[in-house]
Amino acid sequence: MPVETPARNSLDSSFAIGDDNIYRDHVNQDGSHQSDDPKLAYGPQRRIEIINNGNQTQQDITTHIDLEPGTVLVKLSNGKYGLLLNSSAINKPKSIVATLNDGRKVNIPISISTFNDGRSIGYAAPITSDLIDSGINADGTNIASLDVTYTSLEPGTKLEISFGNNGLISDKKPGEVATYSYTVTSANGASHNGVQSIPIADPKGFQYQFTGWINFTGGDYQPNSENGGNLAKVSYTLQHVSYSDEASSYLIEIPRGFTVNPSDLHLFQKNKEVEGGKIEYLGTVGEHGEQTFVISIPFMPYYGSPVFVKDANVTVTYTKNPVEVQPTPKPAEPVDSNKPSPTEPTNIVTNQVNPTPVTAKSQTPNRVAPSQQTTTSKKLPQTGEEHNGLTTIGLLMLSLATELSLKKRKKD
């Protein structure tokens, strides 16, 4: 006889992973918010994710959200504030009811379909002028709680509710916490809940992230090689924590000890040359005579779609003394398991830094000074030279320590 699967009413839910902090906001004299400033990073939106992990369609799914007083709702693409909903196309939203600080309840219409790819549908519920007339603040900061209801949630499908832009207009000080909680229930009797306390902080400046590397022909730097060991490829990556359509400029240097033909450098994004991007060669004006370039881009690239400065060969300027006598090799040193293998590449990793952003108005590039560096030092093969040969990597590291991070990778 066939075995029937027992009915299982079950819901799972969680706050989506977001920034470690929520940031203080305020309204400027012109009516804009501090969080509108593209030079400040407020991080991703705050949202809740609900999943039907049972095998029964859940009816009348209501998510009750208690907000920290002063929570700024999501800034929508039309410039208004509101909520964003996203779920499978089979699931339909029903209503959103806001409870204000004074206890009044106001219905927020779900009036805009933001996207529909056939599988998922997104909706927006903006704070309209009518809602403002009814007593809701334009940014939603006087909403105490929200009740978001969907008519159904099919097994294996998910609902996302974005309720905040990660800004807070409050008298609370940095170091205090903002608390959010929610409870999800269905007419079937399933339920789930969560609570989150988030430290309050002042907003951060835009974070810039730079990465650079040199790839040697054959994978190794060979100072006395005649088969390309002194020739390498150079590449830099420019990216931010989030995208902005504001123009940006960058100052990069070719590492000391290397030279490049300026006309060989190009800007790429998604394997295409960057439209409107410019590379200006300033000459050997680096602190130690490094070749220096200004990179201008009509936007701020982000980590999901970085801009690459690449396609140029660099040549090591080291020259071996032709009459030098090679010394007798030293006896092999005892193996220390804590030391890195000499076959591993030399890496310099630079953490994100926060320079003052450069806008299209100033057209003045930043000199980026990394906040921290993590360096793994490796020795080059001994060749007996007493001059620049053994210091090339050190010089290269010095140059990148002031501007970029270098990654020398060995081919597989």
Side-chain angles (χ1 to χ4, degrees):
M1 296 181 63
V3 178
E4 293 185 2
T5 303
R8 188 174 72 254
N9 288 310
S10 180
L11 290 170
D12 194 12
S13 61
S14 65
F15 286 101
I17 297 175
D19 200 286
D20 291 338
N21 299 301
I22 189 169
Y23 299 103
R24 299 201 299 172
D25 200 353
H26 65 256
V27 180
N28 300 317
Q29 290 184 349
D30 61 1
S32 65
H33 284 62
Q34 176 179 265
S35 53
D36 294 330
D37 187 345
K39 299 181 182 65
L40 296 176
Y42 273 73
Q45 299 165 354
R46 294 288 170 182
R47 76 176 189 271
I48 297 168
E49 298 178 349
I50 302 104
I51 300 174
N52 182 348
N53 62 349
N55 58 8
Q56 302 294 304
T57 299
Q58 298 297 309
Q59 304 291 338
D60 285 332
I61 308 296
T62 297
T63 305
H64 176 83
I65 310 169
D66 288 314
L67 302 177
E68 173 73 23
T71 295
V72 180
L73 298 185
V74 175
K75 186 71 174 286
L76 306 177
S77 59
N78 62 1
K80 298 181 182 297
Y81 291 87
L83 284 81
L84 290 174
L85 308 176
N86 179 26
S87 189
S88 300
I90 195 172
N91 303 320
K92 306 298 181 184
K94 184 176 181 179
S95 65
I96 298 176
V97 178
T99 301
L100 307 187
N101 291 336
D102 60 10
R104 288 182 297 142
K105 295 184 181 295
V106 180
N107 182 64
I108 301 178
I110 305 170
S111 56
I112 300 174
S113 176
T114 56
F115 71 90
N116 184 350
D117 62 6
R119 295 178 300 174
S120 299
I121 298 179
Y123 296 95
I127 304 299
T128 62
S129 57
D130 289 342
L131 293 174
I132 295 172
D133 292 341
S134 70
I136 299 182
N137 291 349
D139 56 8
T141 47
N142 65 335
I143 296 176
S145 65
L146 293 161
D147 289 280
V148 180
T149 302
Y150 260 63
T151 56
S152 63
L153 190 63
E154 295 296 322
T157 64
K158 180 172 69 172
L159 166 62
E160 296 178 347
I161 304 171
S162 298
F163 60 88
N165 77 340
N166 207 36
L168 189 69
I169 297 179
S170 170
D171 292 333
K172 286 190 174 181
K173 306 299 182 185
E176 297 185 69
V177 298
T179 301
Y180 295 88
S181 63
Y182 69 87
T183 300
V184 185
T185 58
S186 76
N188 305 56
S191 65
H192 205 263
N193 58 63
V195 63
Q196 185 177 50
S197 294
I198 310 167
I200 299 170
D202 286 320
K204 302 174 292 187
F206 244 122
Q207 291 183 304
Y208 294 69
Q209 188 179 71
F210 299 83
T211 311
W213 61 80
I214 299 290
N215 278 346
F216 287 92
T217 301
D220 294 309
Y221 168 51
Q222 305 167 39
N224 59 351
S225 171
E226 297 179 355
N227 61 0
N230 294 341
L231 192 65
K233 283 284 188 181
V234 64
S235 181
Y236 301 96
T237 306
L238 308 177
Q239 56 191 10
H240 302 252
V241 295
S242 56
Y243 174 83
S244 172
D245 58 6
E246 185 179 9
S248 57
S249 298
Y250 311 84
L251 187 71
I252 69 171
E253 290 180 351
I254 302 301
R256 185 180 179 185
F258 294 82
T259 58
V260 65
N261 183 345
S263 63
D264 289 341
L265 283 175
H266 299 279
L267 298 175
F268 288 92
Q269 186 183 50
K270 296 181 178 179
N271 296 319
K272 296 181 181 179
E273 289 208 53
V274 175
E275 185 175 351
K278 296 180 181 179
I279 300 177
E280 179 186 359
Y281 179 45
L282 301 182
T284 53
V285 297
E287 184 178 358
H288 302 285
E290 297 93 342
Q291 289 181 292
T292 306
F293 297 82
V294 175
I295 310 299
S296 299
I297 304 173
F299 56 89
M300 287 185 176
Y302 80 112
Y303 69 92
S305 183
V307 166
F308 300 96
V309 187
K310 62 179 185 177
D311 268 12
N313 287 318
V314 292
T315 304
V316 180
T317 54
Y318 165 79
T319 303
K320 177 176 170 57
N321 186 342
V323 298
E324 184 173 10
V325 178
Q326 297 291 333
T328 303
K330 295 180 180 180
E333 296 181 358
V335 175
D336 185 347
S337 61
N338 294 322
K339 290 186 179 181
S341 168
T343 62
E344 295 175 355
T346 298
N347 297 310
I348 300 179
V349 179
T350 301
N351 292 342
Q352 292 180 340
V353 296
N354 301 326
T356 302
V358 175
T359 66
K361 296 180 181 179
S362 66
Q363 293 299 319
T364 303
N366 293 314
R367 297 188 62 85
V368 180
S371 57
Q372 298 180 14
Q373 289 189 335
T374 303
T375 305
T376 303
S377 177
K378 309 287 189 300
K379 290 184 179 180
L380 290 174
Q382 295 289 336
T383 59
E385 290 77 10
E386 296 295 331
H387 43 85
N388 290 339
L390 295 178
T391 62
T392 301
I393 290 297
L395 298 176
L396 179 146
M397 292 165 64
L398 176 61
S399 173
L400 290 183
T402 59
E403 296 296 336
L404 303 166
S405 60
L406 168 70
K407 183 178 181 182
K408 180 170 90 62
R409 303 183 301 179
K410 187 171 182 179
K411 291 184 178 178
D412 295 334

